[in-house]
Amino acid sequence: MLTAASARRTLLLVPVLLLLASCSGLKFVPEGERLYTGSKVTIKPPADEKTVNNQSALQTELESVVGPKPNTSLLGMRPKLYFWHMGVGKKKGLGKFFADKFGEPPIYLSQAKPAAVRDLLVNRQHNNGFFNGRASFEVKKEEKTASIDYTALPGQVYRYTQVNFPQGDSLVRAAIRNTQGESLVKVGDAYNLATLTNERVRIDAKLKEQGYYYFAPDYLVFKVDSTLDHKATVDVRLKNSAPPKALRPYWLDQVKLNTSYVLTDTTMRNPLLFRGYQYFPDEEMFRAKAITRATFLYPDSVYRRRRRDQTLSRLMSLGTFRFVEIRFKPAVAGDTTVTVPADAVPGTNRSVGLRHRLDAEVLMTQLKKKSLRAEVQLTTKTNGFTGPALKVTFRNRSALRGAEQLLINGIASTETQTGGGNGALGLTSFEYGVNAQLLIPRLVTPNLPLLDVNLPNSDFQPRTKIEVGVRAVTRANYFSQNFFNVNYGYTWKTKITNEQELRPIDITYVQFTPTKAFTKILDTPEKSFLKSAFQQQFVLASSYRYTYNQQSLEQRRQQIYFSGQVEGSGNLAQGLATSLKTPKGSSGGNTLLGQEYSQYLKLDLEVREYYRISPDPASGNRIVARLLAGIGNPYGNSRVLPYPKQYGIGGPNSVRAFAARGIGPGTYVPDTPDQTANQFYDQVGDIRLEGNLEYRQDLFPYVKGAVFVDAGNIWLVNPDPGRPGGDFKANTFLNQLAVGAGAGIRIDVQFFVIRFDYALPLRAPAGTPENKAGRLNLAIGYPF
């Protein structure tokens, strides 16, 4: 018997089914047509073989020529086709809007052209060495739809039995012949047209490094003889139509450096002659030495494309030029005669020949030397603090006439920890500061035994960085700190993926002024470690960081990021304090300049993997994973790390289901009102382990979605009675990881990203979370 509730459900189901039926799009198919639903390609190997040569790649290439692409379908429904028909015959209105926004036109069988596709399948088999390859097709028709099955019969592949490079005594033939050792075409390999195309490009690139400026890949041709049974010989030849200038190497004659080029510049000026270069206009803006240091085109040297590219990259990375262009033309002075050594021409003592010449002109368009910029920012930090900031930056792009960049930054900000939920009081921060950076475009250091400080084979300009700064930070109701810092270091890259940074000098001195309320907290016995962390903030550190980053290789589907840093502090200070026999400090530690200093060794590692789901480089659909690990070991003069060097975990860029510094250390959980009120300062540690896994999906233009899982915790190296359960133990640490999961929306407009992430706690370090409420994180930029 049909109940009233069942009847209502049935009535509701009817329009839904009708809508689904209409979404199939079949009712719109005109008489005599069928909706094309797609094709498949089957490769049939010869009867005596289970597979064909490189079958997976061949399958992909054959499928790439099959078309057209059928209408989007999901479980038999074609909503985009339905939306398209809503706008048919309409020039405006809601139907036209839906058609333009969400629809796609129907694809019919008559558009498939299977005979043409069959010919393409045969062609692609030939390109892959299957010279006897054939193809066929079968159209499978239904009442309103049709599909096509293609079958490829490649037969046996043809392989190279002989590869011959040009013979003869001419310079260009000898140069081509000398590249054969690195050839992509090898005896025993299957014939492949793409490989032959790449071989032409490879030979051209080699010749470009030997002076053949006018040579081009099109001047090479491959003669393939496939008359033998499944065997092929290939001859690499020069085209007879290649112009004479392409067949001879060139040397550079004059190299002109114009540092103030503009399109309307027609002024003729006498150049400054410097180390063989003609330098324009004068040294008022840049000393000639600074520009020639970044120039790798040398007068009276063989033309090399690698040196041209290196010069462009180095000059642009100075940060002082808007554009850099290099032009080559036949030398004004003409070609020159040279004496060829005796061993170059057998049977003679010497020979007089021509050396063909090019002039090079390096044209540099300057950026403004000085600039002043003011920014109003919304700052979000890894410790969960967010708030507005005003930043003013003065920049001088050639402060010492050597392309040194001087930056003076002033900043004022107020921040409050966002997200709530950790019970902390007074977590409002005010910050004011100024710092100056001098970036010198070279490594200011003596020559080193294992490193040429000029990095002659690198495309990237090395830098020496000198920085001094002061800033005042106030945590309302708790304390104020004045930071004074000086650092000196180097950064350099040998490849686009590799970067290294060495800071031999990194000094930080902090004046710490607590409020009476915070002093009372620090003086309690259980806060002895916290008191030491705040007081020992005279840090004389050195550090080294290595970064390997494949994210600049946009064509790669899998990209790896690795960063490792080691930092040590206090050894030099310890040596000075011991030799000078300085007095002990109030807490019993050695002092330097009347201040106790920190001693520690700290190691940080970060690994990320980005895997793009789609082969399309523009796709944002990817799986991203990150692993963070760090350990800091205080020793000697310190029993705890300085507070700024300790680890915190949680917040919008960490384990997002928990507040910033709302996890750990270990299984420690604040339970008294005092602990809860001050947990932001207590929940830090010396060891960190964190992992994140996130799937990112393109949703709409400028809008992306994500689902994620985060896990991590921090621990103490030394037990702290005030934070029981906080020390690291090898047999239990994995069971103490906090775990959270959630989803998010990102608004990505290229130059900035606004991120909303909502996360739920799944596990706390001590087990089931006491508070299972979700957390909304608002942040700027991606979490990693």
Side-chain angles (χ1 to χ4, degrees), residues 455-467:
L455 300 182
N457 296 317
S458 172
D459 289 343
F460 306 94
Q461 194 67 36
R463 275 187 166 76
T464 299
K465 179 181 177 181
I466 304 172
E467 181 177 7

Side-chain angles (χ1 to χ4, degrees), residues 440-461:
I440 304 171
R442 63 185 183 278
L443 299 181
V444 183
T445 180
N447 288 326
L448 302 175
L450 300 178
L451 176 68
D452 185 339
V453 297
N454 295 314
L455 300 182
N457 296 317
S458 172
D459 289 343
F460 306 94
Q461 194 67 36

